[in-house]
Amino acid sequence: MMRTIKTTCCLLVLCLLVGCAGSQGSAYEKDLLVVGFSQLGSESDWRIANTQSMTQAFSEENGYELLFDNAKQKQENQLIAVRNFILQGVDIIVLAPDAETGWDNVLSEAKAAGIPVIIVDREVSVEDESLYLSSVGSDFLKEGRLAVDWLEKELARQGRNDEEIKILHIKGTDGATAQLMRTKAIEDGVLRQSLWTISAQLSGDFTEAKGYEVVRDYLKNDQDIDVIYSENDNMTFGAMRALDEAGLSYGENGDVIIISFDAVREALEYCLEGKINLCVECNPLHGPRVDELIRQYESGAEIPKQTYVEETYFTRSNLSLEIICNREY
Ligand code: AHR
């Protein structure tokens, strides 16, 4: 199954069309597997680490030729990229989807072209699950629940069980699995805890600039905040800047409890300093995982439909400089 007949034909036709000008270097000649990877953007430190992990895994030394497309956080760009990969007759498409919905047509086209698709990081919601081969990423609901459970325990530890708790919720990109599930977790928590309220849900699009902007504007009208639940580290960095400018204290010795997702190096450093109370890990190192799935598929082995990676969380009490330095991102 190393190379589909269709792909071989496409490559041969391409070779004839270009007069085999690049024949010494073609993926076909080198027996490389051609992977089209549609990355959704470069909005966060997490995403940069993810792109790095993917591009390292799909190197020529590993037997791949990588066609990479950065969709700049626009699903329409991803649809174009996937269609281009189909036209180019790649062997496998890897898709890191911006939002969950809107993929049925393009994935049907990939299936009709006989090109398997692996979904990475976030998930897709499609009518027919046979439109993709496998999906590997984080269990975002579990991450959110971890954060909410931690908050319940932390407030109990602080003796604040009978206090009203006002939560400012900064959401990631609307419709992304990471947003939908982390949001579900905090909304479920608020339903369970009668004294918790979500004061506002602001859209920060997983970027530092947006996180800063929405929190800065919010603080002009309301500064009565007990908790910031921020769906990624970069939005948290923006929120921290806005809090600094407004003169509000936060973290372990401050007035606002900060909960953040991803646990990238900079966030862990803030956590160790006591400026972020909780960093829930979201692991971006999917390159080797997707590589392994492809190898299993190529060898004819059965591969899992859904794989979730193991993740943990960090507070000042379980962090050290050594842990931070030994992490890859
Ligand atoms: O889908 C993973 C999320 O997307 C990460 O939490 C975030 O940083 C990224 O942009």
Side-chain angles (χ1 to χ4, degrees), residues 56-274:
Q56 271 168 10
F58 297 115
S59 64
E60 221 176 288
E61 304 81 75
N62 280 349
Y64 295 101
E65 177 175 306
L66 175 64
L67 307 183
F68 176 80
D69 185 88
N70 178 340
K72 304 194 169 82
Q73 276 190 295
K74 286 200 164 58
Q75 188 174 24
E76 58 266 35
N77 290 344
Q78 291 204 279
L79 296 175
I80 293 170
V82 173
R83 290 198 165 106
N84 277 336
F85 295 150
I86 296 171
L87 272 178
Q88 289 171 84
V90 300
D91 295 304
I92 295 237
I93 292 172
V94 180
L95 170 67
D98 184 39
E100 280 196 357
T101 54
W103 300 104
D104 295 78
N105 289 344
V106 80
L107 294 187
S108 300
E109 291 163 33
K111 188 177 178 186
I115 303 174
V117 177
I118 293 181
I119 309 295
V120 65
D121 166 29
R122 304 173 186 172
E123 292 170 35
V124 292
S125 164
V126 281
E127 291 262 308
D128 172 6
E129 292 210 330
S130 77
L131 293 182
Y132 63 89
L133 190 65
S134 186
S135 177
V136 56
S138 297
D139 185 340
F140 297 106
L141 185 58
K142 194 170 168 195
E143 290 177 0
R145 288 190 171 144
L146 224 147
V148 172
D149 289 352
W150 176 87
L151 182 60
E152 286 175 339
K153 290 195 188 100
E154 177 60 14
L155 291 170
R157 189 189 69 81
Q158 293 183 11
R160 298 171 72 184
N161 272 346
D162 300 329
E163 249 181 61
E164 282 195 18
I165 299 296
K166 298 192 183 75
I167 301 166
L168 180 60
H169 175 194
I170 313 172
K171 287 164 61 183
T173 306
D174 285 326
T177 318
Q179 177 274 312
L180 294 168
M181 295 298 110
R182 290 170 184 165
T183 294
K184 177 171 168 41
I186 189 65
E187 288 179 348
D188 286 351
V190 168
L191 287 178
R192 209 169 52 227
Q193 293 287 343
S194 57
L195 291 176
W196 293 11
T197 47
I198 295 180
S199 317
Q201 293 184 307
L202 312 173
S203 258
D205 211 14
F206 287 125
T207 70
E208 188 162 339
K210 229 14 206 345
Y212 166 70
E213 203 178 289
V214 293
V215 176
R216 179 200 60 196
D217 292 348
Y218 183 80
L219 294 177
K220 288 177 186 158
N221 298 314
D222 178 16
Q223 300 197 344
D224 187 9
I225 301 165
D226 298 297
V227 178
I228 287 189
Y229 179 93
S230 164
E231 291 180 358
N232 89 341
D233 286 340
N234 287 82
M235 296 191 300
T236 305
F237 303 152
M240 286 162 63
R241 178 147 72 96
L243 291 169
D244 285 335
E245 286 176 7
L248 298 182
S249 67
Y250 52 88
E252 290 215 342
N253 299 315
D255 292 330
V256 184
I257 293 174
I258 307 262
I259 294 176
S260 189
F261 291 85
D262 285 355
V264 297
R265 183 165 284 126
E266 192 178 347
L268 292 178
E269 284 165 2
Y270 285 131
C271 192
L272 192 60
E273 278 177 53

